[in-house]
Amino acid sequence: DGGITQSPKYLFRKEGQNVTLSCEQNLNHDAMYWYRQDPGQGLRLIYYSQIVNDFQKGDIAEGYSVSREKKESFPLTVTSAQKNPTAFYLCASTPGLAGGPRETQYFGPGTRLLVL
Amino acid sequence: AQKVTQAQTEISVVEKEDVTLDCVYETRDTTYYLFWYKQPPSGELVFLIRRNSFDEQNEISGRYSWNFQKSTSSFNFTITASQVVDSAVYFCALLSGANSKLTFGKGITLSVRP
Protein backbone atom coordinates (compact mmCIF):
# COMPACT_ATOMS: atom_id res chain seq x y z
CA ASP A 1 0.00 0.00 0.00
CA GLY A 2 1.22 3.51 -0.80
CA GLY A 3 1.52 5.97 1.99
CA ILE A 4 3.63 7.84 4.50
CA THR A 5 5.10 6.14 7.52
CA GLN A 6 6.55 7.80 10.58
CA SER A 7 8.49 6.15 13.34
CA PRO A 8 8.54 5.83 16.21
CA LYS A 9 5.01 6.59 17.33
CA TYR A 10 6.31 7.83 20.69
CA LEU A 11 9.80 9.11 21.41
CA PHE A 12 11.37 10.15 24.66
CA ARG A 13 14.25 12.57 24.80
CA LYS A 14 16.61 13.24 27.67
CA GLU A 15 17.99 16.69 28.33
CA GLY A 16 20.83 17.55 25.97
CA GLN A 17 20.14 14.66 23.64
CA ASN A 18 19.59 14.77 19.91
CA VAL A 19 16.83 12.55 18.55
CA THR A 20 15.84 11.71 14.99
CA LEU A 21 12.31 11.21 13.73
CA SER A 22 11.84 9.09 10.65
CA CYS A 23 9.56 9.86 7.71
CA GLU A 24 9.33 7.58 4.68
CA GLN A 25 6.97 7.74 1.71
CA ASN A 26 6.43 5.37 -1.20
CA LEU A 27 4.14 7.68 -3.13
CA ASN A 28 6.94 8.88 -5.42
CA HIS A 29 6.26 12.42 -4.22
CA ASP A 30 8.85 15.11 -4.84
CA ALA A 31 8.14 17.43 -1.93
CA MET A 32 8.17 16.57 1.76
CA TYR A 33 7.41 18.63 4.85
CA TRP A 34 7.79 18.58 8.62
CA TYR A 35 5.27 20.23 10.90
CA ARG A 36 5.03 20.71 14.62
CA GLN A 37 1.69 20.72 16.44
CA ASP A 38 1.24 21.98 19.98
CA PRO A 39 -1.99 21.52 21.97
CA GLY A 40 -4.74 23.83 20.79
CA GLN A 41 -2.60 25.11 17.97
CA GLY A 42 -2.53 24.67 14.25
CA LEU A 43 0.41 23.13 12.46
CA ARG A 44 3.60 25.11 12.06
CA LEU A 45 6.12 24.38 9.33
CA ILE A 46 9.62 23.39 10.45
CA TYR A 47 11.39 22.43 7.21
CA TYR A 48 10.44 21.41 3.72
CA SER A 49 12.19 19.86 0.76
CA GLN A 50 11.09 20.19 -2.83
CA ILE A 51 13.73 17.90 -4.35
CA VAL A 52 16.46 15.55 -3.24
CA ASN A 53 19.52 17.21 -1.68
CA ASP A 54 17.68 20.48 -1.20
CA PHE A 55 15.62 21.78 1.71
CA GLN A 56 14.34 25.09 3.05
CA LYS A 57 13.65 26.45 6.51
CA GLY A 58 10.06 26.90 7.49
CA ASP A 59 8.66 29.20 10.14
CA ILE A 60 10.20 27.52 13.21
CA ALA A 61 13.43 25.86 12.05
CA GLU A 62 15.61 26.82 15.03
CA GLY A 63 16.76 23.76 16.97
CA TYR A 64 15.94 21.35 14.16
CA SER A 65 17.87 19.88 11.24
CA VAL A 66 16.92 17.73 8.25
CA SER A 67 18.45 15.86 5.35
CA ARG A 68 17.07 14.69 2.02
CA GLU A 69 19.47 12.16 0.57
CA LYS A 70 16.76 10.00 -0.94
CA LYS A 71 13.46 10.94 -2.53
CA GLU A 72 11.48 8.69 -0.22
CA SER A 73 13.08 9.75 3.07
CA PHE A 74 13.11 13.02 5.01
CA PRO A 75 14.35 12.52 8.59
CA LEU A 76 14.06 15.28 11.18
CA THR A 77 16.60 15.70 13.98
CA VAL A 78 15.55 17.54 17.10
CA THR A 79 18.75 18.92 18.54
CA SER A 80 19.60 19.89 22.09
CA ALA A 81 19.25 23.50 20.98
CA GLN A 82 15.48 23.04 20.80
CA LYS A 83 14.52 23.99 24.34
CA ASN A 84 10.86 23.05 24.17
CA PRO A 85 10.65 19.98 21.94
CA THR A 86 7.60 18.35 23.49
CA ALA A 87 5.02 18.29 20.68
CA PHE A 88 3.36 16.18 18.02
CA TYR A 89 5.39 16.03 14.81
CA LEU A 90 3.75 15.40 11.47
CA CYS A 91 5.40 14.64 8.16
CA ALA A 92 3.66 15.32 4.86
CA SER A 93 4.36 14.95 1.18
CA THR A 94 2.99 16.31 -2.06
CA PRO A 95 3.64 15.35 -5.65
CA GLY A 96 5.12 18.68 -6.70
CA LEU A 97 4.71 22.40 -6.95
CA ALA A 98 2.72 23.12 -10.09
CA GLY A 99 -1.03 23.40 -10.45
CA GLY A 100 -3.72 20.79 -10.04
CA PRO A 101 -4.07 18.04 -7.44
CA ARG A 102 -0.34 18.10 -6.82
CA GLU A 103 -0.77 20.80 -4.19
CA THR A 104 -2.59 18.50 -1.79
CA GLN A 105 -0.42 17.48 1.14
CA TYR A 106 -0.87 14.00 2.54
CA PHE A 107 0.15 13.34 6.10
CA GLY A 108 1.74 10.53 8.03
CA PRO A 109 0.44 9.26 11.40
CA GLY A 110 2.77 11.47 13.45
CA THR A 111 5.35 11.05 16.20
CA ARG A 112 4.75 12.29 19.71
CA LEU A 113 7.97 13.54 21.31
CA LEU A 114 8.21 13.81 25.08
CA VAL A 115 11.06 15.14 27.19
CA LEU A 116 12.13 13.17 30.25
CA ALA B 1 0.88 37.49 4.29
CA GLN B 2 -1.44 34.52 4.47
CA LYS B 3 -3.75 33.96 7.40
CA VAL B 4 -6.51 31.50 8.29
CA THR B 5 -8.96 32.21 11.08
CA GLN B 6 -11.13 29.56 12.66
CA ALA B 7 -12.96 31.61 15.26
CA GLN B 8 -14.79 28.66 16.78
CA THR B 9 -12.52 26.64 19.05
CA GLU B 10 -14.88 23.98 20.37
CA ILE B 11 -18.32 22.87 19.22
CA SER B 12 -20.49 20.27 20.90
CA VAL B 13 -23.60 18.85 19.26
CA VAL B 14 -25.92 15.94 19.73
CA GLU B 15 -25.89 13.21 17.13
CA LYS B 16 -28.01 13.92 14.03
CA GLU B 17 -27.70 17.68 14.41
CA ASP B 18 -26.26 19.68 11.54
CA VAL B 19 -23.11 21.66 12.30
CA THR B 20 -21.17 24.30 10.38
CA LEU B 21 -17.49 24.95 10.88
CA ASP B 22 -16.36 28.42 9.85
CA CYS B 23 -13.16 29.37 8.07
CA VAL B 24 -12.05 32.86 7.02
CA TYR B 25 -8.85 33.39 5.08
CA GLU B 26 -6.61 36.26 4.00
CA THR B 27 -4.30 36.37 1.03
CA ARG B 28 -3.25 38.87 -1.61
CA ASP B 29 -2.71 36.21 -4.24
CA THR B 30 -5.32 35.70 -6.93
CA THR B 31 -4.46 32.02 -7.27
CA TYR B 32 -4.72 30.00 -4.11
CA TYR B 33 -6.04 26.74 -2.73
CA LEU B 34 -8.16 26.03 0.32
CA PHE B 35 -8.27 22.76 2.22
CA TRP B 36 -10.09 21.07 5.03
CA TYR B 37 -8.43 18.33 7.06
CA LYS B 38 -9.84 16.10 9.79
CA GLN B 39 -7.69 15.02 12.72
CA PRO B 40 -9.28 12.15 14.67
CA PRO B 41 -7.96 11.18 18.12
CA SER B 42 -5.34 8.95 16.47
CA GLY B 43 -3.58 12.11 15.30
CA GLU B 44 -3.19 11.63 11.58
CA LEU B 45 -4.50 14.44 9.39
CA VAL B 46 -7.00 13.17 6.87
CA PHE B 47 -7.50 15.20 3.71
CA LEU B 48 -11.17 16.07 3.07
CA ILE B 49 -11.31 18.60 0.26
CA ARG B 50 -9.28 20.99 -1.87
CA ARG B 51 -10.70 24.03 -3.62
CA ASN B 52 -8.94 26.44 -5.96
CA SER B 53 -9.67 30.15 -6.06
CA PHE B 54 -11.26 30.01 -9.50
CA ASP B 55 -13.86 27.44 -8.59
CA GLU B 56 -16.60 28.84 -6.37
CA GLN B 57 -18.97 25.97 -6.86
CA ASN B 58 -20.19 24.49 -3.64
CA GLU B 59 -19.46 20.84 -3.18
CA ILE B 60 -21.33 18.04 -1.51
CA SER B 61 -19.90 14.68 -0.59
CA GLY B 62 -22.32 12.53 1.31
CA ARG B 63 -23.06 14.27 4.62
CA TYR B 64 -20.31 16.82 4.01
CA SER B 65 -20.74 20.07 2.11
CA TRP B 66 -18.54 23.09 1.57
CA ASN B 67 -19.52 26.68 0.86
CA PHE B 68 -16.78 28.78 -0.76
CA GLN B 69 -17.48 32.52 -1.00
CA LYS B 70 -14.69 34.75 -2.31
CA SER B 71 -16.74 37.89 -1.54
CA THR B 72 -16.43 37.17 2.18
CA SER B 73 -13.17 35.18 2.01
CA SER B 74 -14.85 32.24 3.64
CA PHE B 75 -14.75 28.50 3.11
CA ASN B 76 -17.24 26.96 5.52
CA PHE B 77 -17.78 23.26 6.13
CA THR B 78 -21.15 21.75 7.05
CA ILE B 79 -21.75 18.27 8.39
CA THR B 80 -25.35 17.16 8.01
CA ALA B 81 -26.83 14.66 10.45
CA SER B 82 -23.66 14.47 12.50
CA GLN B 83 -22.43 11.16 13.88
CA VAL B 84 -20.20 10.26 16.81
CA VAL B 85 -17.46 9.27 14.34
CA ASP B 86 -17.35 12.89 13.19
CA SER B 87 -15.80 13.85 16.53
CA ALA B 88 -12.36 15.23 15.69
CA VAL B 89 -10.37 18.39 15.25
CA TYR B 90 -10.98 20.04 11.90
CA PHE B 91 -8.42 22.29 10.26
CA CYS B 92 -8.88 24.75 7.46
CA ALA B 93 -5.72 25.57 5.49
CA LEU B 94 -4.64 27.96 2.76
CA LEU B 95 -1.95 27.45 0.15
CA SER B 96 -0.90 30.46 -1.88
CA GLY B 97 2.23 31.94 -3.34
CA ALA B 98 5.02 30.29 -5.24
CA ASN B 99 6.53 28.46 -2.29
CA SER B 100 3.53 26.16 -1.73
CA LYS B 101 3.54 26.59 2.02
CA LEU B 102 0.32 25.67 3.80
CA THR B 103 -1.03 28.05 6.40
CA PHE B 104 -3.26 26.35 8.94
CA GLY B 105 -5.96 27.71 11.18
CA LYS B 106 -5.87 26.71 14.84
CA GLY B 107 -8.51 24.05 14.37
CA ILE B 108 -12.03 23.43 15.68
CA THR B 109 -12.66 20.60 18.12
CA LEU B 110 -16.00 19.00 17.28
CA SER B 111 -17.62 16.70 19.80
CA VAL B 112 -20.69 14.76 18.74
CA ARG B 113 -22.58 13.23 21.68
CA PRO B 114 -24.80 10.19 21.25
Side-chain angles (χ1 to χ4, degrees):
Chain A
D1 286 355
I4 302 172
T5 57
Q6 291 186 244
S7 62
K9 188 172 182 179
Y10 296 94
L11 186 58
F12 298 92
R13 192 191 92 163
K14 295 180 181 178
E15 293 288 340
Q17 186 182 43
N18 292 355
V19 293
T20 297
L21 284 62
S22 169
C23 177
E24 304 275 333
Q25 54 96 1
N26 60 5
L27 301 167
N28 199 32
H29 286 176
D30 287 317
M32 297 185 73
Y33 306 78
W34 274 106
Y35 292 90
R36 169 179 172 142
Q37 184 181 18
D38 293 283
Q41 300 293 318
L43 279 67
R44 293 183 291 168
L45 183 64
I46 306 173
Y47 267 99
Y48 64 103
S49 168
Q50 298 174 346
I51 56 172
V52 174
N53 293 322
D54 184 61
F55 48 82
Q56 308 294 329
K57 291 183 178 180
D59 301 318
I60 55 166
E62 186 174 349
Y64 300 97
S65 66
V66 293
S67 63
R68 186 87 187 276
E69 297 177 1
K70 298 186 296 182
K71 186 175 183 178
E72 58 270 22
S73 177
F74 191 40
L76 172 74
T77 296
V78 184
T79 74
S80 57
Q82 173 49 246
K83 298 306 179 188
N84 184 22
T86 297
F88 189 52
Y89 291 87
L90 286 155
C91 177
S93 70
T94 188
L97 298 178
R102 285 177 282 181
E103 278 77 18
T104 300
Q105 291 189 16
Y106 297 94
F107 286 80
T111 292
R112 198 165 297 278
L113 177 61
L114 300 167
V115 177
L116 297 176
Chain B
Q2 287 78 248
K3 185 178 179 182
V4 174
T5 301
Q6 295 182 263
Q8 305 151 309
T9 55
E10 294 184 18
I11 300 175
S12 182
V13 299
V14 176
E15 209 170 15
K16 297 184 183 177
E17 283 186 28
D18 299 346
V19 58
T20 295
L21 312 180
D22 298 333
C23 173
V24 174
Y25 64 93
E26 295 177 29
T27 180
R28 293 184 179 179
D29 295 307
T30 55
T31 301
Y32 53 89
Y33 297 84
L34 294 162
F35 302 81
W36 276 94
Y37 286 90
K38 174 182 180 180
Q39 187 177 41
S42 61
E44 181 173 354
L45 259 70
V46 178
F47 165 71
L48 295 178
I49 189 170
R50 181 185 70 93
R51 250 309 174 248
N52 74 55
S53 51
F54 299 108
D55 182 1
E56 286 193 72
Q57 272 193 324
N58 292 330
E59 182 156 339
I60 298 175
S61 176
R63 297 184 297 107
Y64 295 170
S65 62
W66 291 269
N67 183 353
F68 176 29
Q69 293 198 339
K70 287 177 75 171
S71 60
T72 56
S73 296
S74 66
F75 186 44
N76 297 337
F77 173 28
T78 296
I79 301 174
T80 303
S82 60
Q83 299 176 1
V84 173
V85 293
D86 295 327
S87 296
V89 181
Y90 291 86
F91 290 97
C92 180
L94 166 69
L95 188 151
S96 63
N99 58 14
S100 72
K101 289 167 61 175
L102 265 183
T103 299
F104 284 85
K106 292 191 174 183
I108 301 169
T109 300
L110 174 64
S111 299
V112 181
R113 310 187 305 276

